[in-house]
Amino acid sequence: MVANMVIETTKKIRDMEIRGAGKIARAAVEALKNQIMVSRAKSVNDFIKEVENAANILKSARPTAVSLPNAVNYVLYNIKINKNLDLDELKKKALEACDNFIKNSLEAVRKIGEIGARRISDGDTIMTHCNSKAALSVIKTAFRQGKDIKVIATESRPRYQGHLTVKELSDEGIDVTLIVDSAVRLFMKKVDKVIVGADSIAANGAVVNKIGTSMLALAANEARVLFFVAAETYKFSPQTLLGELIEIEERDASEVADPEKFKGVKIRNPAFDVTPPEYIDLIITEKGVIPPQAAFFVIREELKWSLWNSI
Ligand code: RI2
């Protein structure tokens, strides 16, 4: 039996009613928690099959943010290593794993803010793209520490997540300017640091984030502006260690323009792009700051459990 909440959450993630790599991960784990609570499985094996099935449905919601499979695989891993327990004890362990993931991932955003804010100086102008809770945690923490900062935020077509960003920052009292995505290079001259989030980070330190991120990185590189990525360690992709590529989600053309009005025209809508490690100065994680070239070590140290299916 698949819990209604699993079906509903999968739909909400797919439709981007729930969005942002961290939020997607927590929502998937909440749904898995519900699956565990309503499960009527009579044996450990049936229980595991049921949770695995729900996990697979959730993982299929969006392909790019590795936070989603990493989060549900963390719960599955904790179930697998405890499969010798009786069913009630196993469920308890599984629920504990869900709660730990949610608690730790929220704490990670706070820590990234604290660690990243040390890299922000009084008087900085910061450019950001899309709407990343991790990147905004750095900006807000620096501001709350009394640093006088200004933010330039892109609107982030086609879904305009930049509107969420400017609202969030201006509610906080931060001086924020909204620009169209194509104005990035023009404004880069006024910028001291760029901070963006990440949906996935490959073992070689390449960062997959909202479409247009690599354009900010190029412009920053040209203008010799520092380029920071704020990301929790569960956004690093263990599969890329084995040479697997991160899939770039292409969403419906109607998000870009009404296909009815452009008959005979191809409309493309990739949701993410890849910024090579050479364009990234630092990745700010909850465990500390690393150069992108150290991504491999994050996967080795923090995501050891992700090899769960070889257990
Ligand atoms: P946090 C978002 O993807 C953006 O690309 C953002 O930079 C990234 O997730 C990380 O967001 P989308 O869901 O986890 O808007 O830092 O497609 O909030």
Side-chain angles (χ1 to χ4, degrees):
M1 173 206 75
V2 180
N4 282 342
M5 191 172 164
V6 169
I7 308 288
E8 281 159 21
T9 304
T10 305
K11 187 174 181 307
K12 283 184 185 163
I13 294 174
R14 190 168 288 141
D15 296 346
M16 291 180 71
E17 210 178 302
I18 299 173
R19 56 146 297 279
K23 263 200 183 156
I24 289 173
R26 282 188 292 278
V29 170
E30 285 286 4
L32 218 47
K33 188 175 165 184
N34 181 260
Q35 176 73 54
I36 294 161
M37 289 192 303
V38 302
S39 169
R40 288 197 219 114
K42 298 271 179 281
S43 70
V44 165
N45 271 350
D46 286 352
F47 172 70
I48 293 178
K49 270 193 215 135
E50 203 180 85
V51 181
E52 268 178 343
N53 183 37
N56 287 337
I57 294 171
L58 287 160
K59 281 193 242 178
S60 72
R62 286 188 81 189
T64 302
V66 75
S67 52
L68 175 57
N70 275 352
V72 294
N73 285 346
Y74 173 79
V75 177
L76 288 177
Y77 163 78
N78 279 281
I79 292 175
K80 291 250 167 170
I81 56 168
N82 287 301
K83 66 180 178 207
N84 293 332
L85 295 176
D86 70 42
L87 189 55
D88 284 345
E89 282 299 310
L90 182 59
K91 281 189 187 170
K92 229 169 104 187
K93 287 277 180 205
L95 292 174
E96 259 171 43
C98 293
D99 290 340
N100 282 342
F101 180 86
I102 293 166
K103 187 169 101 318
N104 293 341
S105 81
L106 288 170
E107 176 59 11
V109 176
R110 194 194 63 73
K111 276 207 174 133
I112 286 172
E114 195 184 295
I115 294 168
R118 293 182 205 140
R119 304 278 162 169
I120 308 298
S121 309
D122 195 38
D124 271 354
T125 296
I126 300 161
M127 184 180 279
T128 190
H129 185 52
C130 198
N131 179 256
S132 155
K133 292 285 170 204
L136 295 190
S137 176
V138 174
I139 294 171
K140 286 187 197 170
T141 308
F143 180 73
R144 286 177 195 158
Q145 288 170 348
K147 289 175 187 163
D148 175 24
I149 53 174
K150 290 189 174 63
V151 177
I152 299 176
T154 57
E155 57 183 359
S156 312
R157 280 268 298 151
R159 301 285 301 221
Y160 298 102
Q161 289 96 325
H163 291 184
L164 301 171
T165 294
V166 292
K167 179 89 182 51
E168 205 172 322
L169 294 179
S170 71
D171 283 352
E172 184 80 23
I174 298 175
D175 178 327
V176 60
T177 305
L178 180 68
I179 61 168
V180 296
D181 300 332
S182 43
V184 159
R185 185 163 177 254
L186 183 75
F187 279 92
M188 197 55 82
K189 298 180 204 66
K190 301 183 193 302
V191 171
D192 299 290
K193 279 148 203 164
V194 175
I195 307 180
V196 296
D199 291 82
S200 284
I201 301 179
N204 69 349
V207 167
V208 180
N209 192 49
K210 184 54 54 197
I211 188 80
T213 301
S214 65
M215 190 174 69
L216 268 77
L218 264 180
N221 186 266
E222 180 195 43
R224 300 176 67 79
V225 166
L226 289 168
F227 189 91
F228 296 164
V229 175
E232 301 86 326
T233 51
Y234 66 86
K235 291 175 182 166
F236 287 70
S237 167
Q239 287 73 21
T240 57
L241 267 187
L242 307 170
E244 224 175 87
L245 295 176
I246 295 165
E247 184 185 337
I248 303 290
E249 175 184 14
E250 177 134 7
R251 297 185 59 83
D252 203 80
S254 60
E255 289 185 347
V256 175
D258 179 1
E260 288 299 308
K261 290 190 188 149
F262 292 93
K263 290 230 164 79
V265 176
K266 291 191 200 89
I267 303 173
R268 299 289 307 269
N269 185 20
F272 304 98
D273 66 17
V274 183
T275 301
E278 303 80 60
Y279 291 90
I280 300 163
D281 291 287
L282 285 177
I283 302 177
I284 305 158
T285 80
E286 75 278 16
K287 298 286 172 177
V289 157
I290 59 156
Q293 292 75 13
F296 164 78
F297 297 99
V298 172
I299 296 172
R300 202 182 64 179
E301 292 308 309
E302 306 300 328
L303 296 160
K304 277 186 197 128
W305 53 266
S306 61
L307 301 164
W308 68 275
N309 52 4
S310 58
I311 289 172

